[in-house]
Structures are given as C-alpha cells and as structure tokens.
Amino acid sequence: PESVSVTGRDDKRLAPLDRLMTDFVSRHKLPGASLAVVRHGRLVYARGFGLADCESGEVVKPTSLFRIASLSKPVTSVAVLKLVEAGRLKLDDSVAEILKLKPEVDAKRNRRVTVRQCLQHTGGWDRGDSFDPMFQSIRIARVLGTKAPAGPAEVIRFMQKWPLDFDPGTRYSYSNYGYCLLGRVIEKVSGQSYEQYVRKQVLKPMGVTRMRVGRTRADGRARGEVRYHVDGAKVGLSVFDEDLGQKVSRAYGAWNLEAMDSHGGWIASAVDMVRFASALESPDHKPFLKAGLLEEMFAPPAGPVSRKSDGSVEDVYYGLGFSVRRLADGGMNQWHSGSLDGTSTLLVRRHDGMVWAVLFNSRRSCGGKNPASAIDPLVHGAVDAVTEWPEGDAFDELLVK
C-alpha cells in the first residue's frame, strides 16, 4: 500500500490506532483523515493522516479543521440545553410561538411542534416523504423572489407554506430543518447570533476556541482548514447568485453551508470534537450540564417513538442530539455521524470513558459505505487492542509537543 504521512506525537503503545488509520486511508485511497481519542477526560491520542490538500501536498495535522457536517447537531443541542438550564427556555415550548411563525397551511399541527421534538427528530418533517428544504436553496429563493441562495429565514418562511408529513411526536424521521429552527430559537431567546452564542456559552467554557461556522466557497476556507475532495468529476450547479446554475465542485457551491449553521455548518478539529464530547461530564465532577439535563439528553423519546411491538424502548434510539445504544449491563454508547460532499465524520462517547472523533476530507465509498460508517467498528477494535494507555495530557500540552 502507498505510504501515508502521519503527523502528531508518536507513541508505540498506541500502534493499533496508527495501523488502523494508515491502512484505512491507504486501502480506500482517501486523501486525508484525523483521529483524536480521550480516555477518562484526558487526551491520549491526536494524529493527522494523509493529505489536507491533494493539489498542494499539504498534510493533515492533529489540529486541522474539517467540516463536521451533522456533528453540529450535538453542539446545537447542548446550546439549547444551556438555555433550558438558565431557565430561559423549556423543552416542551412551541417553536412556532417562540419564533412567532405564521403557518399558512396545517397550522394546528405546526403550532404543536416543540423544541424537544426538533431535538429528537420527531417534529413532523420527513425528507423521504417530501424533501429536505436545506438543500433546496435555489427553488426557495425563486418561490420567494429573493436572492439565491436562500438563508435560514427564507427557508423557514417557505416552510410555512408546507404541511407536516406526520403528527409531531408520533415517529422519528431525521430532519435538518428541525435543527435549522433550533438555531433560530437560540438566536431569539439569547438575543445573539447562533454562532456567537454557541462560541461564547458552549465552546469557550470548554476550552474550544477555533471552531466556527464554515464557508461554502473555496475562497472562504479558514486558516488550517483542509480542502474537500469529491470523487472524479463530481460537479454540481452553483446555488450562488454570482454564478447561479454554473458547474462547480459539489463541495464548493452546490449547496449553502452558511444556511446549515445549526444542523451541519461547523468546522472543527478532531481534538475540538473530543474536547466538546468529554466536557459534557468532566472527570473532575464539574459537568458542563446539570445532571438532570445530561440524563434528559440521553433519555429515549416519549412513546410511541422508538418502541418495540411490546411497548418497550428500542435498544438504539435518538436522544437530544445524539444517537444512543443501551447496553445489557445498563451502560450506554452515544454517537453521531456527519456527511456532506467531500466530508465524512464520526463522534463516539463510549460507556467505558473512551471518546473519539474521526474526520475525513472525502466521502469516497469504502466498500459501499461512507468512510465514517466503514471505520466505525474498526475504531472500537483498535481501541480495544491497546494494552497500555499513556496517562494522557491536558489538551494543549499534547498538541504543542
């Protein structure tokens, strides 16, 4: 196999993780990836693999920023829960009431949709039955007579003209639009922009300083951000007014990343993501969220959602911003994955205090799956193959060395 460049601190005890990543990147001919691992609240591993940019030959570093796609959802969920904790919002508040929405159709059901239902993807939108408005920015701008691409405000205005696909709270259906609404709820209640609020109230207290909402176009690439590679000649049509309808790379203009802020817009390093996920219950007993809210985050939705035929809760369900698997011994694993053209991401919080994030700058098929899905069981295996763990560092120490 081709040799894959590796950056970050080398530790022979963690060879199973190095082997997994170099083999995976090389075997599937992926440009680059980054993996960070936390054990009991200490960062034990952070390395970059392969290329951040195939054209320039720039390599991925442990601190390289990637579009994290739907790993943005747990971030939004924690931001919402911070407002709940502060008493400024209730999970069962009506989203339409908070945002003063005026549904033109299906008003009764639309007004019933709650903050909790948006967090759990039970709000009533099913992109399989209708469509995902977050990827319809030209159509929406046309209907409303506004400039392309449509932003969150236009998307929400447009959706007031559409009926729900099902009764709120009766079933699960993954909805980016529900999380777009949550971003606006955060803005309305906090009086700040979504990004400002999250950076100030969630990320900064966790020690995460470089995360930000990414930019769609290549010229908006942040310092330290990788380049996104789409296979071969995969082109899309631009949704941006200045070159509307012209051919562009699917990762740089075929959809509007800025409008996806609260459901898929952030860029972060793998280290930022494990820092975020492990701060939720830090080992020094200063949990980021009050205990009750953390339990709420990982609790199953109310029935009939995620129930077996006998009425008991399914082993796997979606909580507030995380997928949850309940284990026989009472423990649980929580995770989220993300996917956009040129991006595939995974964040895992395991029952035994292990947390990891793996980010790719390509969504190239790996045996019929996207990279994050294909590598998921392999990371569990590689983590289990480590027989001796280093003590681990405060986050910043490992990165500077």
Side-chain angles (χ1 to χ4, degrees):
E2 291 169 40
S3 74
V4 172
S5 70
V6 185
T7 59
R9 192 206 285 177
D10 188 20
D11 186 326
K12 293 293 172 263
R13 294 171 289 185
L14 304 176
L17 297 170
D18 293 341
R19 265 199 310 276
L20 161 68
M21 293 301 293
T22 48
D23 290 355
F24 191 86
V25 167
S26 141
R27 185 167 78 246
H28 296 294
K29 299 187 166 48
L30 296 165
S34 177
L35 170 67
V37 182
V38 159
R39 181 170 179 264
H40 303 313
R42 311 284 289 173
L43 185 67
V44 287
Y45 185 92
R47 304 200 84 179
F49 301 86
L51 299 175
D53 183 349
C54 291
E55 244 168 72
S56 69
E58 183 191 333
V59 296
V60 177
K61 300 190 183 92
T63 51
S64 292
L65 298 169
F66 289 72
R67 289 176 179 165
I68 61 169
S70 284
L71 302 195
S72 303
K73 290 183 176 78
V75 175
T76 295
S77 172
V78 171
V80 167
L81 291 173
K82 279 314 255 186
L83 290 169
V84 172
E85 189 178 77
R88 301 172 70 184
L89 184 64
K90 291 190 181 73
L91 284 171
D92 296 313
D93 285 350
S94 150
V95 171
E97 274 176 34
I98 298 168
L99 298 179
K100 309 263 185 286
L101 299 180
K102 295 187 173 61
E104 294 169 35
V105 290
D106 204 3
K108 214 168 161 184
R109 287 202 302 183
N110 258 302
R111 290 202 184 95
R112 286 209 329 255
V113 181
T114 65
V115 170
R116 187 193 305 271
Q117 288 164 346
C118 288
L119 286 166
Q120 291 173 335
H121 300 293
T122 61
W125 303 280
D126 185 332
R127 55 190 180 175
D129 288 354
S130 50
F131 55 92
D132 185 340
M134 306 315 301
F135 290 89
Q136 299 277 333
S137 40
I138 297 184
R139 172 188 174 188
I140 291 174
R142 260 192 207 131
V143 168
L144 298 180
T146 54
K147 200 172 146 184
E154 288 78 37
V155 172
I156 293 169
R157 234 174 82 202
F158 175 82
M159 289 301 282
Q160 301 315 298
K161 306 172 189 298
W162 278 88
L164 293 180
D165 299 306
F166 60 90
D167 272 349
T170 58
R171 65 183 172 91
Y172 165 90
S173 180
Y174 192 84
S175 172
N176 288 315
Y177 175 64
Y179 271 75
C180 167
L181 287 168
L182 292 170
R184 316 301 57 94
V185 165
I186 289 167
E187 291 181 330
K188 184 81 177 178
V189 175
S190 72
Q192 292 171 288
S193 80
Y194 163 77
E195 184 179 5
Q196 251 178 335
Y197 178 80
V198 174
R199 289 181 77 166
K200 208 158 140 189
Q201 301 300 328
V202 177
L203 301 174
K204 196 176 171 207
M206 290 179 168
V208 176
T209 54
R210 290 172 66 236
M211 267 178 82
R212 49 167 271 198
V213 171
R215 303 287 171 261
T216 312
R217 306 305 288 252
D219 58 12
R221 184 178 163 200
R223 197 172 157 194
E225 184 181 2
V226 299
R227 191 172 279 279
Y228 307 99
H229 300 80
V230 287
D231 268 5
K234 267 205 178 163
V235 292
L237 301 179
S238 169
V239 301
F240 286 80
D241 218 39
E242 60 269 21
D243 54 358
L244 198 60
Q246 290 175 29
K247 285 183 177 175
V248 290
S249 157
R250 286 193 65 83
Y252 289 108
W255 30 259
N256 180 13
L257 189 70
E258 288 84 346
M260 299 181 195
D261 56 2
S262 50
H263 72 80
W266 288 91
I267 60 174
S269 68
V271 174
D272 291 332
M273 289 319 294
V274 291
R275 195 172 205 164
F276 161 79
S278 45
L280 293 178
E281 17 186 12
S282 61
D284 54 9
H285 304 300
K286 289 197 211 107
F288 190 73
L289 288 168
K290 288 184 184 138
L293 282 175
L294 202 62
E295 279 162 30
E296 188 100 61
M297 192 170 195
F298 304 127
V305 182
S306 305
R307 293 304 187 273
K308 299 177 188 169
S309 53
D310 66 359
S312 63
V313 177
E314 299 270 6
D315 297 334
V316 174
Y317 57 82
Y318 197 95
L320 307 180
F322 273 100
S323 292
V324 178
R325 179 185 299 279
R326 298 212 288 197
L327 307 170
D329 63 2
M332 54 172 76
N333 292 343
Q334 299 115 9
W335 75 96
H336 213 296
S337 61
S339 176
L340 279 170
D341 296 298
T343 311
S344 184
T345 60
L346 177 69
L347 175 65
V348 174
R349 300 175 83 240
R350 204 163 74 164
H351 61 94
D352 56 0
M354 302 298 304
V355 174
W356 60 81
V358 57
L359 311 176
F360 296 95
N361 58 346
S362 162
R363 194 169 66 175
R364 180 176 209 163
S365 173
C366 302
K369 295 178 166 177
N370 64 36
S373 307
I375 204 166
D376 184 17
L378 307 178
V379 185
H380 283 273
V383 165
D384 293 340
V386 174
T387 52
E388 186 197 346
W389 289 96
E391 278 301 290
D393 286 278
F395 278 82
D396 304 321
E397 287 165 28
L398 181 67
L399 295 178
V400 230
K401 282 178 189 164

